[in-house]
Amino acid sequence: MIKKEELKDRNEKLISKNKRSIIYFGLFILASIAVFGFYFVLHFFDDPQLTPVSMFNIGIDVLGMFVCAVLYLGCMGESSKEAEEGLRWFVMLIVLTGLSFFVNELTWLFGSVLSYQKLMVILVVAKNLLDLHIIYSFYRSVRMTLNFDSKKVETLDKLINILLVVFSIMVLLDPLLTLTVGINEQGYAYRTPFDWIQNAYLAIAGIITALLLIKSDTSRRQKLVSFSFILVPIIHYISSGFATNYASQYASTLLSIIAIYSLLFYSRSKTLAVTKKELDTAREIQLSTMPDNFLEDEAFEIAASVEPARGVGGDFYDFFLIDDDHLCLIMADVSGKGIPASLFMMTSKVALKNCARMCDSISEILTTANDSICSDNNSEMFVTVWIGILELSSGILRAGNAGHEYPAIGRKGKKYELLKDKHDLVIGAMEGLKYSEYELQLDPGDKIFVYTDGVPEASDSNKQLYGTDRMVDALNIDPEAETKNVLKNVRKSISDFVKDAEQFDDLTMMCVEYKGKNKKDATE
């Protein structure tokens, strides 16, 4: 049986995957009804049965539909796959309000011009159903935004849902029972003595929503703006002589929605500004932990780059001299992205560096680092690692691979090719593992290129992967190039392939050329 969390996760992925289609479809619906409504106005503009009052209400309805389309686009454009459920209900509120404007316009048009009694019955039923679901969407938006989780609120949820079903059934049966509204011979709707019944749900949902707002910790400004959605329509209802068919009824609702929209995205913009500043600072701190001194040494030349996909990321590289004759090289990729990955990255980087300085072999370094990381790994994250120690006097490279990408080797005078080394399990997955190592002989002029999976898994707009074959081709554009130019060639190749497609993973690369150490230095 599928758990509720798994079903929610599936829905999240489905919405994220089809986000653009959902945006376009919703915008198409709202824009279409706005254009369709405008067409009706032009078609019946000269009809003598259209009174000035009808034209005024129809004009407000058409304008309201266009405004709802714009608000919808603004909300969906700002939302992301991590968007709150409260925002989604707010978007639903906008859509339902746009539909209400459309139905109200048709009510004025057909009531004034065509006087189709059966059609008027359908329109009145649709209008009353939309009223119920508008206040329900507002309740859900407030409920999810405030994130109340008490048992009392859960009980209120059930009550609101049950009442919505009951009152919706009553509205659907209204044409048969004439409980709250009827249609006269001229095609106009009239209220019955029991018309207060249709407002009962609106009152109940409004009162419950108001209580939630009062008990919330939100600012006074947010409470006041949210209360306007309840109070403004009530004020309009009383001031219009308890009329329910004027377009200004939905216009007052739309004004409150615009106010909520403005406050919502004003608050979001402030939060995003602060978050961006904090992420920029975190990015600077993270990048400062990686060496950036790529000046040539007599024995080696190094160039490296890192491009986090989300400001901060989980990829990292490192290189440092263990002693005068041993250069340690590390390329690693933490599972996940963003801030959690960056925090785990810092822990992993420190553990690997400390172990590299204390341990005698690659196998011992990986084994000790794995045990250290596993001991406090409550987040259950892991890191893939390629690590090598280059003996500068001899060119011997001892290396190990813990679930990382294959390195590429470029021998002097020859082309680059992948080195399909042995892969052990990733670091952080299981304590007590023993890791292996292997040995390579590098001659002066040989290069080694290591990278994270963001390179081969870079994708274009058609979701086609860049792949290691294209990477090797880019390396072989100029096999004898300096290390910094090797990185530029690969980066340019990736950019040409993905074009304007969004970067979903960190891109990290490092190229090392062994130049050899003269005999005098080696014997000193």
Side-chain angles (χ1 to χ4, degrees):
M1 188 173 180
I2 299 176
K3 294 182 179 180
K4 183 177 179 181
E5 293 78 9
E6 293 178 357
L7 183 61
K8 184 177 180 181
D9 186 56
R10 289 185 184 180
N11 291 334
E12 291 280 351
K13 291 179 179 178
L14 182 63
I15 291 173
S16 176
K17 183 178 180 181
N18 299 284
K19 177 185 171 184
R20 182 172 295 182
S21 299
I22 294 172
I23 293 174
Y24 288 155
F25 178 75
L27 183 62
F28 172 78
I29 294 297
L30 284 175
S32 295
I33 63 174
V35 173
F36 189 54
F38 187 63
Y39 165 77
F40 268 115
V41 174
L42 295 178
H43 185 73
F44 297 113
F45 187 77
D46 295 328
D47 195 295
Q49 296 184 65
L50 276 179
T51 65
V53 174
S54 299
M55 291 300 297
F56 175 75
N57 281 277
I58 291 169
I60 293 178
D61 288 327
V62 172
L63 178 62
M65 284 183 277
F66 279 109
V67 173
C68 286
V70 173
L71 289 175
Y72 173 86
L73 182 62
C75 284
M76 294 305 292
E78 290 291 336
S79 67
S80 64
K81 66 181 180 180
E82 296 88 5
E84 304 88 349
E85 192 171 350
L87 177 59
R88 293 177 189 163
W89 279 105
F90 183 72
V91 171
M92 178 62 71
L93 177 63
I94 294 172
V95 173
L96 293 175
T97 303
L99 291 173
S100 296
F101 275 116
F102 181 63
V103 171
N104 194 66
E105 180 204 0
L106 294 183
T107 303
W108 281 98
L109 280 171
F110 286 97
S112 301
V113 179
L114 303 178
S115 300
Y116 286 166
Q117 188 173 10
K118 292 183 179 180
L119 184 58
M120 283 299 297
V121 171
I122 296 174
L123 292 175
V124 169
V125 170
K127 178 176 174 295
N128 291 338
L129 279 176
L130 286 169
D131 288 345
L132 294 177
H133 286 80
I134 283 175
I135 189 64
Y136 178 76
S137 297
F138 177 66
Y139 164 76
R140 297 298 298 180
S141 176
V142 171
R143 160 78 170 83
M144 294 302 171
T145 301
L146 298 180
N147 196 26
F148 284 107
D149 291 324
S150 66
K151 291 184 177 180
K152 290 183 179 179
V153 175
E154 291 179 359
T155 302
L156 290 176
D157 276 347
K158 294 178 181 179
L159 174 64
I160 289 290
N161 292 335
I162 293 172
L163 290 178
L164 178 65
V165 174
V166 172
F167 280 91
S168 295
I169 293 174
M170 290 176 60
V171 169
L172 291 172
L173 295 176
D174 212 16
L176 299 176
L177 304 178
T178 316
L179 291 174
T180 63
V181 67
I183 307 295
N184 60 25
E185 295 180 355
Q186 289 74 36
Y188 290 102
Y190 65 89
R191 299 194 301 264
T192 71
F194 299 99
D195 68 323
W196 58 269
I197 295 177
Q198 72 178 30
N199 295 324
Y201 182 81
L202 307 180
I204 293 172
I207 291 172
I208 292 175
T209 306
L211 292 175
L212 291 180
L213 286 169
I214 291 173
K215 292 184 177 181
S216 69
D217 296 328
T218 57
S219 65
R220 291 183 180 179
R221 180 191 298 179
Q222 290 175 317
K223 289 181 180 179
L224 181 61
V225 171
S226 298
F227 269 122
S228 70
F229 186 87
I230 302 172
L231 296 177
V232 172
I234 292 176
I235 294 172
H236 172 271
Y237 180 65
I238 296 174
S239 62
S240 63
F242 305 102
T244 59
N245 61 331
Y246 289 121
S248 52
Q249 169 191 352
Y250 297 108
S252 63
T253 301
L254 182 59
L255 286 175
S256 298
I257 291 176
I258 293 173
I260 295 171
Y261 174 89
S262 301
L263 181 62
L264 174 66
F265 288 99
Y266 169 74
S267 301
R268 278 175 167 264
S269 63
K270 287 182 64 177
T271 302
L272 287 175
V274 174
T275 302
K276 185 179 184 303
K277 183 177 180 181
E278 292 176 347
L279 284 176
D280 289 343
T281 303
R283 176 188 172 90
E284 291 177 6
I285 294 172
Q286 184 183 37
L287 293 180
S288 68
T289 64
M290 300 184 207
D292 57 0
N293 183 9
F294 306 134
L295 297 178
E296 294 185 20
D297 185 91
E298 62 176 8
F300 61 87
E301 177 185 307
I302 299 178
S305 66
V306 58
E307 296 179 40
R310 296 186 179 180
V312 291
D315 285 12
F316 69 91
Y317 66 85
D318 203 357
F319 58 86
F320 51 90
L321 287 167
I322 297 175
D323 54 44
D324 291 341
D325 195 38
H326 292 88
L327 173 67
C328 184
L329 308 167
I330 299 175
M331 178 62 65
D333 183 4
V334 172
S335 60
K337 300 177 182 65
I339 293 177
S342 69
L343 294 174
F344 194 78
M345 163 253 160
M346 298 290 283
T347 302
S348 302
K349 184 176 182 296
V350 171
L352 285 166
K353 191 167 187 174
N354 288 340
C355 290
R357 292 188 181 280
M358 294 186 299
C359 300
D360 297 327
S361 67
I362 293 293
S363 175
E364 187 181 353
I365 292 171
L366 291 174
T367 299
T368 306
N370 178 66
D371 290 342
S372 174
I373 292 172
C374 284
S375 63
D376 298 314
N377 189 12
N378 296 327
S379 63
E380 297 184 349
M381 300 179 75
F382 61 85
V383 55
T384 68
V385 178
W386 181 92
I387 182 171
I389 295 179
L390 177 61
E391 190 174 69
L392 301 178
S393 59
S394 64
I396 294 176
L397 175 68
R398 296 177 178 88
N401 193 324
H404 200 73
E405 299 292 322
Y406 293 125
I409 301 293
R411 300 292 184 179
K412 184 174 177 60
K414 297 181 180 180
K415 291 186 175 182
Y416 282 88
E417 56 185 22
L418 287 181
L419 174 65
K420 296 189 176 181
D421 54 1
K422 180 183 177 181
H423 279 48
D424 291 325
L425 192 64
V426 296
I427 300 294
M430 185 184 299
E431 196 170 358
L433 296 176
K434 300 297 181 183
Y435 287 81
S436 60
E437 62 180 87
Y438 60 92
E439 186 176 297
L440 290 175
Q441 176 64 57
L442 297 184
D443 297 321
D446 290 349
K447 300 186 186 73
I448 184 165
F449 177 82
V450 287
Y451 53 94
T452 58
D453 60 4
V455 174
E457 293 180 6
S459 59
D460 60 13
S461 57
N462 296 319
K463 306 302 180 183
Q464 184 179 1
L465 297 180
Y466 177 70
T468 53
D469 290 342
R470 290 186 178 87
M471 182 192 74
V472 173
D473 290 341
L475 290 171
N476 288 323
I477 291 174
D478 184 5
E480 302 300 322
E482 296 180 353
T483 55
K484 62 181 180 181
N485 291 328
V486 170
L487 300 189
K488 289 180 180 179
N489 290 339
V490 176
R491 189 64 184 92
K492 183 179 184 302
S493 177
I494 294 173
S495 298
D496 291 342
F497 175 78
V498 302
K499 294 183 173 60
D500 296 328
E502 184 179 357
Q503 178 183 335
F504 286 102
D505 204 353
D506 305 338
L507 290 174
T508 307
M509 301 178 284
M510 180 167 64
C511 186
V512 183
E513 178 182 358
Y514 175 62
K515 292 185 173 183
K517 199 168 186 180
N518 62 50
K519 294 181 179 180
K520 180 181 178 181
D521 292 334
T523 57
E524 283 183 353

